[in-house]
Structures are given as structure tokens and as C-alpha cells.
Amino acid sequence: MSEEQIKNLEAQFEERIARDEKIEPKDWMPEKYRQTHIRQMSQHAHSEIVGMLPEGNWITRAPSLRRKVALLAKVQDEAGHGLYLYSATETLGVSRDELYEQLHSGKAKYSSIFNYPTVTWADMGAIGWLVDGAAIINQVPLCSTSFGPYARAMVRVCKEESFHQRQGYEIMIKLANGTPEQKAMAQDALNRWWWPSLMMLGPTDAESIHTEQSMKWKLKRKSNDELRQQFIDQTVPQADLIGLTIPDPDLKWNEERQSYDFGDINWDEFWQVVKGHGPCNKERMKARVGAWERGEWVRDAAMAYAEKQQERREKQAV
Amino acid sequence: MATKNWPLWEVFVRSKNGLEHRHFGSLHAADAEMALENARDVYTRRNEGVSIWVVESKHITASNPEHNGELFEPAQDKVYRHPTFYDLPDEVKHM
């Protein structure tokens, strides 16, 4: 194809998206669109998969059956969400194996929030309430993103996700209304998860390199700073309601903006964690890669069995 | 060294009797039986279905969007295939 023809196709492509038409896997698309989607969708899938690890840590120690079934179901959903997203990514012509390889080699990133440790039961509450809360704010706009398979996967993810946040908040309510020790445990979890949750919504607009293109392709509807403000405004009253304190001395209602002003985020910490120096980066990757490697003989055995059955059927047919 | 990767399967789910099976997504599995079991876990955790079909993705033949013109445009100028193309006297209320 000549450069002229490609320019033409690109212009038509952008117009289709501007008209709110969906792009499907076999449609022509600019290489950059394909690569950006492979990157973002696979990061999203990896985050779901790695996101199971901090919570899996507490399944056997959940304090009641109610909590245990909820946590099990939540972690199972995260596996499911990872699988929806991996298979949607594969429609762009990349194999599942390549995607895993990118995660395991460290080439692909996942949400840096999962590199923090889960040291008490209250962390299960804080993660559901704050981390899933922030994730929902990030994800809802993706239900109408331009790439069909991604949008369809996100509709399903968002439908399932709201129970995740509620079960987390319920844990926090219970602890906040419990003994002084339980309340202190809830406050401690909020103290540790608040700032990483704000960071989860991404670098500030000034630092965010992909925003403009992502807006055009509807991978983004609002900027990181807008989403962060939305998250803070919706979460502060929920903390107030259960008598917990947001760990930010500069947090103040701004009557004029009808929003909360908030303190400076420690972006050095964010970049350190992104670059692999968070408290649990190594541990998470070790757990993930270890599970993959220890499962290899099972995958091979299943394949060998399937092939043997197939051969047997073919022989009988002759 | 892995001998072979599990193939890709497409999953179709009937959400309730009376409705058709609809494409839900895809997954990897060693064989059809495992594909069904995985589909049940991945796509029907909340009563989304009463019946599942799986088919190995390589068995699906899909049309190419580049041929959409010759495939689908001929139908556009065949208005006579629609009831509104035909004139009826006003006296005929329903037909």
C-alpha cells in the first residue's frame, strides 16, 4: 500500500471512531492502534491475574464463612476477568503464550497497586473499597471504548465488579464499628492503601504521555486528574460515614469547586514501584512465574491425553 | 519445555430456553470436554446460561471485512424486499 493510501485509510478509520462505530478484530486498523490496544488490554489482564495474589493470601484466614465465600468469589472473578481480557487481546493477533511471556519476563507491566503487601485482614476491606473503587472509576468508561472485544469484555467486568467494592466496604464498616483494636486495624489499612489508590488512577495529566491519543480512540473519556478527583469526592463521605479518617492533613472541602482539595501525592514512590522497587514486586512475580512453571506438566499431560483420545477416535472410525 | 499449547475455543451460551446461543468469548483448553468445563467456570458464574456450545476457533470460517462491499451492498438497493415498498389502499388497515 502506498503512503497516500494508508493516510486515506487512517483518516477513514478515525472518522469511524468519531462516529462511535466499533472496530472489530478483522477490520483494517493502524498499526499503532493495534499495538496500543495489545499493550493496554494485556496490562489490564495481567493486573487481574496478579491482583489475585494479595487477596489469595487471606482466603484461608477469612474470619467467617460469609467473608470466605465472598473473598473466594471475588478472587475467582478476577481470574475470570483476566481470561476475558486475554482472549479479547488475542483477537488482535497476539498469542496467549506471548502475553504470558511478556508478563513473566517483566516486559509488560501490571497495576503497581498489587506490589503492596496485605498484612492484616482489614487490608481485604481496604482493597475492595478503595482499590476496586478506583478500578471501577477507571473501567466504566471503557464499556464504550472503540475496540469491540475490549468494550464487550468490560461490560461483563463492570457488571461483576460492583460486588467487589461493596464486600470490601462491608468489611470496613464491621471493623470500624467493632472493638477499638478492630477500628484501629481498619484505620491502619486505610492509612496504607489511601495514597497508593490515588496513584492507581495514573500520573498527573501533565505527565501522562498517552492521554491525547487515548481520548481519540475512546480508551479514555476523562483525564487521570479528573478521575482522581471523582474518586476522592465519592470516597471521603464514605470514610466519614463509618468514622475513619482519610490520612491527608490537607484534605479540605472546597465550596467554590464543589470538590475536595487534597495534598501532594508522592510520585517518587509511584515511579519506584512501577520500576520494580515496590515492597512486593519480586514476590508477586516469583509467585506468578512459579505457578506457571509448576503447572507445566499438568498442561502437557492434558494435551497428551487429548491427543491420545483423538487418535483413538480416528482409529475407531477407520 | 511445553510440548504444545492448548488450542483456542470459541464459546457460545444460550442464556435461557427460547433464546439462541450467543458468542460469549473464547478460552484455551486441551480438548472439547475441558473447553466446556472451563466455559462453565469462565462465562457462567452468575447463571448466565442453560446451555453451552464450544467449537475450536480454527474451524470457524469468517468473511473478510474488505469484501463487505460485494457481500452486503447488493442488498441495499433491493427495497422491494421490504413490505413498505408496496402501495396499499388507505381502506386496508392491516396487512
Side-chain angles (χ1 to χ4, degrees), chain A residues 26-28 76-77 80-81 83-84 87 90 96-97 156 160 163-164 296 298-300 302-303 305-307, chain B residues 1-8 24-28 30-31 34 41-43 45-46 48 62-65:
Chain A
K26 289 176 75 103
D27 292 349
W28 182 89
Q76 197 189 14
D77 274 351
H81 297 173
L83 293 174
Y84 304 157
S87 64
E90 283 175 88
R96 180 76 57 96
D97 252 44
R156 207 169 301 132
E160 298 180 354
F163 118 73
H164 296 184
E296 188 176 304
V298 180
R299 295 191 298 276
D300 288 351
M303 204 61 228
Y305 175 77
E307 283 171 345
Chain B
M1 187 58 208
T3 43
K4 221 183 218 176
N5 295 325
W6 289 356
L8 189 66
F24 262 45
S26 52
L27 50 76
H28 288 268
D31 57 26
M34 189 196 285
D41 287 344
V42 176
Y43 293 105
R45 288 193 301 284
R46 288 177 176 77
E48 288 92 338
S63 65
N64 183 339

Side-chain angles (χ1 to χ4, degrees), chain A residues 175-194:
Chain A
L175 291 173
N177 291 313
T179 64
E181 288 82 2
Q182 287 173 323
K183 186 170 183 184
M185 192 196 268
Q187 182 63 52
D188 167 65
L190 172 56
N191 293 349
R192 284 179 293 107
W193 290 95
W194 175 252

